[in-house]
Amino acid sequence: MNAKAFSLALFSILIWGSSFAAIRVSLQGGYDAGQNVLVRFFIASVLFLGYALWPGTKFRLPHKGDIVPILILGWLGISVYHICVTFGMESISAGTAGMLVGSGPIFTALIAFVFLKERLTGLGWIGLAIGFIGITLIAFGSAGASLTLSGGALLVLVAAFATSLFFVFQKPLFARYTAIELTAYFTWAGTLPFFIFSPGIFTAMQNATLEAHLSALYVGIFPAAIAYATWSTALSMENASSVSSLIYLEPAVAIVVAWMWLHELPTSLSLIGGVIAIGGVIIVNVLGRHRRRVSTRTADSTS
């Protein structure tokens, strides 16, 4: 991977990894989950609108035949993903959420196998099994001492599956649009459903702490907008499998930032599950595929 692509991709991973702790801070500081996600993506949408309207920017509108797929993918990759992650983080730690989202490439591999006929080797299937064992341990470990599946963990797993579908099915659109154009389309489409959370938003903004405001602003500008743009640029410059392999660092970043900022750590069972899950992801995506066609992270929506 060339140095510029590596730097852009690594920047995105560091920013995405930090977003889980920032979301947690906003939730603890006065915003409820719905208001939090609305504020973040309203900020991101305004940023992309400013880019699209900037003089000299050659920003194209989508073709009529692509509007419905873009809307569906935006709702799936932005709306479903971020609603499930944000509501899930009301009851699980930032590090646990990061580990569950980091296991998303396992779902991507399965979806690509079913819909794109992408073949897995025997080692790839073993990696999937190991990964699912890890996911199970993370999910059950999120409930603390009781070995039950917490609702928050289940929501984040739904988010990981939704974003995996998003990654697979947006692939054909990159032949017709630039990465930043697609990111803007998906962001605008995905933000629309968040307006159902608008009642009480101004009261929440008045009552929220300064740290909550700054955290929401940070996530709206950096993880929700800039990091997706830098990731898409890196993908356009380098082999997708090389760039997307860096996503394996995201759970580690999420855990370290949550520990430093919030002084919280996942449970021991979740940490063990995280190591196992990431090991499974690496086996599937590095050693277990005949040919890699689908990126595990594109110009989406995490956080």
Side-chain angles (χ1 to χ4, degrees):
M1 188 189 309
N2 70 60
K4 187 173 181 179
F6 177 84
S7 299
L8 289 169
L10 183 61
F11 172 81
S12 298
I13 291 299
L14 293 173
I15 294 300
W16 280 328
S18 69
S19 68
F20 296 98
I23 291 169
R24 187 81 162 163
V25 168
S26 291
L27 293 176
Q28 294 173 346
Y31 289 103
D32 67 27
Q35 294 163 347
N36 180 281
V37 76
L38 171 59
V39 169
R40 282 153 43 199
F41 277 89
F42 181 79
I43 292 169
S45 292
V46 170
L47 287 176
F48 281 118
L49 181 62
Y51 172 82
L53 297 178
W54 192 264
T57 301
K58 297 180 180 179
F59 191 93
R60 299 165 297 176
L61 294 176
H63 303 302
K64 185 177 181 180
D66 291 330
I67 291 177
V68 172
I70 286 172
L71 285 172
I72 293 173
L73 287 169
W75 294 335
L76 189 66
I78 303 294
S79 307
V80 174
Y81 174 82
H82 286 282
I83 285 173
C84 288
V85 166
T86 308
F87 277 86
M89 286 185 61
E90 289 185 317
S91 60
I92 65 174
S93 71
T96 298
M99 287 189 294
L100 288 171
V101 170
S103 66
I106 295 173
F107 294 118
T108 302
L110 275 178
I111 295 165
F113 172 78
V114 172
F115 292 99
L116 302 183
K117 310 304 179 185
E118 187 170 312
R119 297 169 59 199
L120 291 172
T121 65
L123 193 59
W125 287 109
I126 292 173
L128 279 179
I130 292 172
F132 276 109
I133 291 171
I135 291 172
T136 302
L137 293 176
I138 297 169
F140 280 89
S142 68
S146 61
L147 289 178
T148 58
L149 180 62
S150 71
L154 184 59
L155 280 173
V156 177
L157 282 175
V158 171
F161 182 72
T163 200
S164 297
L165 288 169
F166 173 66
F167 296 151
V168 172
F169 290 107
Q170 70 173 273
K171 192 74 173 179
L173 293 171
F174 278 94
R176 298 189 289 279
Y177 304 100
T178 67
I180 294 181
E181 286 172 340
L182 274 182
T183 304
Y185 302 154
F186 293 142
T187 299
W188 294 331
T191 300
L192 291 175
F194 296 153
F195 281 96
I196 64 173
F197 302 120
S198 59
I201 186 65
F202 295 111
T203 300
M205 293 177 71
Q206 290 172 350
N207 295 331
T209 65
L210 177 60
E211 189 177 22
H213 288 313
L214 293 176
S215 296
L217 185 65
Y218 168 77
V219 178
I221 294 173
F222 289 95
I226 294 176
Y228 283 114
T230 54
W231 183 265
S232 299
T233 304
L235 283 175
S236 70
M237 297 169 57
E238 188 57 77
N239 181 276
S241 60
S242 298
V243 175
S244 57
S245 64
L246 289 176
I247 199 174
Y248 310 138
L249 297 174
E250 188 173 352
V253 175
I255 292 170
V256 170
V257 173
W259 173 62
M260 294 178 65
W261 191 352
L262 304 174
H263 307 292
E264 72 174 25
L265 281 173
T267 64
S268 297
L269 184 60
S270 288
L271 284 171
I272 293 169
V275 172
I276 293 172
I278 298 306
V281 168
I282 293 172
I283 291 172
V284 171
N285 290 277
V286 176
L287 304 175
R289 304 177 79 158
H290 286 289
R291 184 182 177 185
R292 186 183 182 90
R293 297 182 200 150
V294 180
S295 167
T296 58
R297 176 76 82 165
T298 58
D300 153 42
S301 113
T302 115
S303 293

